[in-house]
Amino acid sequence: MQTHKLYINGEYTESHSNEWIDVINPSTEEVISQTPKATTDDVNRAVESAFQAQKEWELIPNIERGKIVRKLGNKIEENRANFIDLLQEEQGKDYELASGEVDLAIDYFRYMSEWARRIEGEIVPSDRPNENIYIYKKPIGVVAGIVPWNFPVFILARKVATALVTGCTVVLKPSQQTPNTAIEFTKIVDGMDDIPRGVYNLITGTGSEIGYALAKHEKVDMVSMTGSVPAGTKVMEAAAQNITKVNLELGGKAPAIVTSNADLDVAAESIHTSRLANNGQACTNAERVYVQENVADEFIEKLKHSFEQLTIGNPRENKEVDVGPLVSQDRLEEVEVMVKTAVQSGAKVVSGGQRDEVGKGFFYKPTILTNVDHSSAIMQEEIFGPVIPITTFKTIDEAIEKGNDTEFGLSSSVYTEDLNEAMRIVNELKFGETFVNRENFEAVQGYHAGMRKSGLGGADGKHGMEDFLVTQVVYMQYKNDKQ
Ligand SMILES: NC(=O)c1ccc[n+]([C@@H]2O[C@H](COP(=O)([O-])OP(=O)(O)OC[C@H]3O[C@@H](n4cnc5c(N)ncnc54)[C@H](O)[C@@H]3O)[C@@H](O)[C@H]2O)c1
Ligand SMILES: O=C[C@H](O)CS(=O)(=O)O
C-alpha cells in the first residue's frame, strides 16, 4: 500500500496526526493509497511556510515567475500518461476526458504563464498639481487552494498556475477522495530548484477539519475553493472571521432549453454529451431539460436512442467505455435516492433508473426521467450523476422563467436555430455561462463564474487572473522647479 506525506516548506513531512485516509478506486472499490489526515498544526505549518515565502516570491520579476509556471505545464506534459492513469484510477474518468483534463491543465499553466508580462496597473490624473496617481496591481498573498474530486488536475491548475504567476504563494488541499494526482504534481514542484521553499505546499485531509482550518487561518489572504454550496458556505463562514477574501466556484443546476426551432439532432447529441461528461459529475453539465411541447416526443426519442447505445464499465481497463463509475458509494446512494424519490412523485423512467451491477464499483445507469415537475427536488437540486430530468414548456417566456427559477446560477444552454429567439433567451437568462447550440466546457480565456449560490468571483482569463490581485493606489507628489 502506497502511503504519502505532506509537503511543507520544500520538504516532505509526516503529519502530526499519524492517521490516514484511504483513497478508493471507484471502479473496483480497491484501496489504492493512503494519505495523511493532517491536523490544524500541520495547517499552521503550511500557512506559515507560505507566508514566509511570500516576500521573496513576489519580488521575483513576473517574467521569471511566468517561465516557472510554463515549465510546470511542460513537466506535466512529460508525465502526461502517468497523470491520465492516476486520474482514471482515483476518479473513474473515461480515457478521452481524463486525457482532455490533463491536456487542459498543461494548457492552463502555459496560458497563465503568458499573463506574466500583462499584469497592468494604471496612471490616472490627480486633482493636485505635480502629482501622479499610480494604481498598482499586487499579489493578494497566501492563497488556500481547495480542490474538489471531479476535476482534480484541471482545478489544481486553476489554483496553482494563477497563484504563482500573480506572485502569490499557495497551500493546496486536494479532495480527500482524489489526492493522488496532486501528490504527483507535488513531485514535479519538488524537483524544480527554481521554486523557492514554501511557495507551494500540499496538505491532505478532510474538508471539515483541514479545509475549514485553512479558510479560518489569519495568514491566509484568499481562499480559492471549488466545491459544493454547503462546503462553500462553511468556507465563507470561516473566512469571515478574518475578513479573508473568498473566491468560490460552487455547484450548478444548468438548464438546457430546447425550442421548437432547434436542430433536434444537435440538441440531443449535445445534451447527451453534456449530461454524461465525467459520468454526470461536472458543475456545468446539463442538469435539467426544458423542451417545447410540440417537439418533446421527438427530442426524447432521440435522447433515449443515444442513451441506449452506451457502454458502462471500468474506463481504466477499457478505453471504449462511455460511462464509468460515480466517485464513491455515498454519491451512488445519493443519486439512487434522488431517482427513487422522483419516481415516487410520479416521474416516468424512459431509460436506466437503477444501479448497474457490473460487479464491483459505483455504477449507475444513464437515466432519462420525464413527467417531472419543475418544482420537484430532481429539477431543483444538483444531481451530480448520469440522470437527466426532462419537462416541457409552451412559451419562451415560460422556459426563461423556469430556467431562471433556481438557487444556482453557473451554466445554462439554449438550442434554437432562430437568431432572434436565441438572443432573447440569452439576454434574459441569469447565469454566469450560456452555451448556444453546443455542449458545456468553458475556454481558459473566458471567465468561469457563477451567479446566486453558484459562487463568488471566478476563474480563467484576465478577470480570473485579476481575482488573485489587490490594488494599491500611490499618490506621488513631486517638485516642479519650473513653477
Ligand atoms: N463551479 C465550479 O467551477 C465547480 C467545479 C467543480 C466542482 N464544483 C462543485 O463541486 C461539488 C463536487 O465536488 P466535491 O464533492 O469535492 O465538493 P465538496 O464541497 O464536498 O468538496 C470540495 C473541497 O472542499 C473541501 N471541503 C469540504 N467541506 C469543507 C469545509 N467545511 N471547509 C473547507 N473545505 C471543505 C473538500 O475537502 C474538498 O477539498 C459539486 O457541487 C460541483 O458542482 C463546482
Ligand atoms: O465541475 C465543473 C466543471 O464543469 C468542470 S470545470 O469548470 O471545467 O472545472
Side-chain angles (χ1 to χ4, degrees):
M1 170 69 51
Q2 234 195 336
T3 57
H4 295 291
K5 291 187 174 170
L6 309 176
Y7 187 75
I8 298 175
N9 201 27
E11 284 174 6
Y12 285 102
T13 164
E14 304 284 350
S15 162
H16 285 158
S17 76
N18 208 22
E19 286 181 63
W20 301 89
I21 299 176
D22 288 344
V23 182
I24 292 169
N25 178 334
S27 301
T28 63
E29 301 183 37
E30 283 162 353
V31 178
I32 48 180
S33 69
Q34 289 186 317
T35 50
K37 189 168 189 277
T39 63
T40 46
D41 264 1
D42 299 322
V43 169
N44 293 341
R45 286 195 292 144
V47 174
E48 190 58 36
S49 129
F51 180 77
Q52 293 301 334
Q54 178 62 41
K55 194 167 176 188
E56 179 186 353
W57 183 240
E58 73 177 77
L59 288 178
I60 292 178
N62 285 13
I63 190 67
E64 293 305 318
R65 288 202 309 269
K67 280 183 194 159
I68 291 169
V69 171
R70 171 167 279 272
K71 196 160 142 189
L72 282 165
N74 294 345
K75 296 264 178 197
I76 298 176
E77 190 172 46
E78 283 166 25
N79 207 6
R80 179 177 180 273
N82 190 26
F83 272 101
I84 294 170
D85 189 52
L86 287 170
L87 180 55
Q88 286 202 284
E89 183 181 44
E90 68 180 0
Q91 200 252 284
K93 272 196 169 65
D94 62 75
Y95 181 81
E96 198 184 330
L97 191 62
S99 51
E101 179 178 345
V102 172
D103 289 341
L104 199 55
I106 295 165
D107 205 27
Y108 207 85
F109 275 95
R110 291 177 178 158
Y111 168 76
M112 272 298 159
S113 76
E114 292 169 11
W115 280 107
R117 286 193 200 269
R118 295 189 180 87
I119 300 175
E120 293 171 347
E122 293 166 53
I123 306 170
V124 294
S126 170
D127 299 322
R128 301 163 60 139
N130 304 326
E131 182 177 82
N132 283 345
I133 301 177
Y134 295 96
I135 299 181
Y136 283 93
K137 292 290 176 184
K138 298 191 160 181
I140 194 164
V142 176
V143 172
I146 303 180
V147 176
W149 49 260
N150 68 335
F151 287 86
V153 186
F154 175 55
I155 295 176
L156 173 154
R158 266 189 173 148
K159 311 293 183 208
V160 177
T162 319
L164 298 191
V165 81
T166 49
C168 301
T169 56
V170 63
V171 179
L172 189 80
K173 195 208 87 60
S175 166
Q176 54 274 39
Q177 295 177 85
T178 56
N180 289 344
T181 39
I183 287 162
E184 196 60 25
F185 174 78
T186 304
K187 290 183 195 160
I188 292 177
V189 175
D190 187 52
M192 279 173 55
D193 295 339
D194 34 11
I195 301 181
R197 295 158 80 88
V199 166
Y200 167 91
N201 306 272
L202 175 87
I203 54 169
T204 54
T206 61
S208 53
E209 290 170 80
I210 296 317
Y212 194 82
L214 258 180
K216 207 173 89 169
H217 201 292
E218 61 183 1
K219 286 186 176 170
V220 167
D221 297 295
M222 179 167 82
V223 190
S224 178
M225 181 264 188
T226 304
S228 61
V229 172
T233 310
K234 288 281 179 200
V235 163
M236 271 187 95
E237 178 189 297
Q241 298 181 38
N242 295 302
I243 320 289
T244 303
K245 181 175 175 181
V246 290
N247 166 280
L248 300 174
E249 305 289 331
L250 306 178
K253 187 73 188 168
I257 296 175
V258 183
T259 81
S260 53
N261 293 311
D263 178 327
L264 293 184
D265 289 319
V266 169
E269 193 184 329
S270 303
I271 290 171
H272 167 126
T273 308
S274 174
R275 174 61 286 197
L276 298 182
N278 206 20
N279 313 326
Q281 305 163 117
C283 57
T284 54
N285 285 0
E287 279 252 347
R288 54 196 168 113
V289 174
Y290 299 92
V291 55
Q292 204 149 17
E293 59 183 15
N294 56 336
V295 292
D297 289 347
E298 193 183 344
F299 167 78
I300 291 164
E301 198 46 48
K302 285 179 190 290
L303 198 63
K304 177 173 183 252
H305 178 73
S306 71
F307 267 47
E308 282 169 355
Q309 314 304 311
L310 296 165
T311 53
I312 305 173
N314 179 346
R316 193 164 169 247
E317 280 179 359
N318 179 359
K319 279 191 183 175
E320 305 306 315
V321 156
D322 300 301
V323 183
L326 295 173
V327 76
S328 63
Q329 179 71 30
D330 286 353
R331 193 90 291 287
L332 178 63
E333 284 170 11
E334 279 169 38
V335 170
E336 198 169 34
V337 167
M338 285 189 88
V339 173
K340 275 190 183 153
T341 309
V343 170
Q344 279 159 8
S345 316
K348 183 178 158 218
V349 177
V350 172
S351 185
Q354 57 189 347
R355 289 180 189 215
D356 196 295
E357 310 285 357
V358 289
K360 290 270 186 192
F362 312 125
F363 297 91
Y364 197 85
K365 286 190 174 161
T367 296
I368 300 173
L369 298 176
T370 56
N371 208 28
V372 287
D373 188 72
H374 162 73
S375 57
S376 62
I378 201 100
M379 291 293 274
Q380 292 294 330
E381 294 168 14
E382 197 175 32
I383 307 171
F384 239 54
V387 178
I388 188 81
I390 303 175
T391 191
T392 58
F393 67 87
K394 284 189 172 61
T395 65
I396 298 297
D397 280 340
E398 184 190 348
I400 296 170
E401 193 187 322
K402 287 181 170 168
N404 282 335
D405 181 26
T406 166
E407 63 179 22
F408 299 99
L410 187 60
S411 280
S412 53
S413 62
V414 182
Y415 295 89
T416 175
E417 299 279 286
D418 179 325
L419 178 65
N420 296 325
E421 194 172 64
M423 280 315 302
R424 194 194 144 199
I425 298 173
V426 164
N427 285 336
E428 293 185 31
L429 278 179
K430 296 191 186 331
F431 289 82
E433 279 163 357
T434 302
F435 299 96
V436 181
N437 294 322
R438 58 160 280 199
E439 74 299 336
N440 57 327
F441 289 133
E442 57 277 9
V444 298
Q445 66 275 27
Y447 184 54
H448 182 61
M451 296 181 186
R452 298 182 286 278
K453 288 190 180 172
S454 288
L456 270 181
D460 310 341
K462 181 182 180 194
H463 304 301
M465 183 275 293
E466 285 180 343
D467 245 17
F468 285 62
L469 300 172
V470 279
T471 305
Q472 179 183 17
V473 185
V474 175
Y475 297 85
M476 181 70 83
Q477 187 80 54
Y478 61 92
K479 287 186 180 148
N480 186 341
D481 291 344
K482 289 189 180 161
Q483 285 177 337

